[in-house]
Amino acid sequence: MKKELKIYLASPRGFCAGVKRAIEIVEKSISKFGAPVYVRHEIVHNKQVVEELKEKGAIFVDELSDVDDASRPVIFSAHGVPKSVPEEAKLKNLSFVDATCPLVSKVHRESEQLNKNGFEILLIGHKNHPEVIGTMGQLPKGSIKLIETKNDAELLKENDFKKPLAYITQTTLSVDDTAEIIEALKNKFPKIKGPIKEDICYATTNRQSAVKEIASKCDMFFVVGSRNSIENSQTIGRSSGASAPEKLVQTLLKSLRKNRNVSIEEVIVAEEKVVFKLPKELN
Ligand code: SF4
């Protein structure tokens, strides 16, 4: 007889509006302009999505210098790009479609506005993440200082800064870790200015809340992409990141059902109805 296995399925999970839009941009570009189209960097961080788009006619490149056929359009990924990238595309006469998530673009505009208003800017984020590279590249080099940890914040000194201070954040961060870093910044610089509406996006916040809601009830927690054994567990939690397709979740559930008597409870912490418009080039 199969052993019982209770699964809590986190909701929301999987694709966010920015990822759906980015994938649609690649697909619509292929149908409008024909294959191939170039895509600079992984359009979203998911191998399966990238492979499926390759089969449909997308060619992924690291840099614009890797584009062999300048007559084909180039798509910029959902993570956003430094200003130098569209500038380079224009110089090379490449046509391009920008799939930057509108919530990342919001952070880009914030950085420009803060700079214009005379603030020194701290960006809370992960070094070398494409979104961070894109956000830092909205302003001349050295205009934005990266803060990765609470310790980084605590090491800052008041006389490091000549102008008023503001912070912005990457859209995809741990809500709790970021709150700690912001608290450390506020302790040190009580007048520091933060975004009017926080930069960590709704999708990141909702997925983390859903995971927190169920993690304490589970013997084991799966986020699509991680590998674990479930042989001895009686209760497991399931979720998937904002760039993971739902079919991966369903495939895993199917394989669990082979050996276990599975019951599923979906734990819904928020309803997501966010949809972003496509860029005008594709309308
Ligand atoms: S995770 Fe958030 S910021 Fe990133 S693409 Fe999705 S909605 Fe946009």
Side-chain angles (χ1 to χ4, degrees), residues 14-20 22 43-44 78-79 99-105 131 170-172 199-205 207 242-243 274 276:
F15 284 170
C16 59
V19 162
K20 283 186 196 152
I43 186 78
V44 299
H79 304 108
T100 302
C101 175
L103 298 181
V104 175
S105 300
E131 182 186 327
Q170 194 180 321
T171 58
T172 46
D199 294 331
I200 295 182
C201 78
Y202 78 96
T204 303
T205 308
R207 277 150 194 70
S243 39
V274 180
F276 296 129

Side-chain angles (χ1 to χ4, degrees), residues 56-127:
K56 290 179 182 169
I59 298 173
F60 288 83
V61 292
D62 288 335
E63 293 304 336
L64 296 183
S65 53
D66 302 324
V67 171
D68 292 330
D69 181 353
S71 70
R72 305 308 309 154
V74 186
I75 297 161
F76 303 151
S77 84
H79 304 108
V81 290
K83 280 221 159 112
S84 57
V85 172
E87 280 162 13
E88 185 188 347
K90 282 177 197 156
L91 278 176
K92 292 185 155 151
N93 260 331
L94 296 170
S95 61
F96 60 87
V97 185
D98 188 355
T100 302
C101 175
L103 298 181
V104 175
S105 300
K106 163 197 168 277
V107 180
H108 290 181
R109 300 295 77 77
E110 274 167 5
S111 69
E112 286 181 312
Q113 199 58 43
L114 288 167
N115 182 256
K116 201 170 132 202
N117 293 342
F119 284 87
E120 293 212 39
I121 304 170
L122 304 176
L123 167 63
I124 302 170
H126 299 302
K127 195 177 175 186

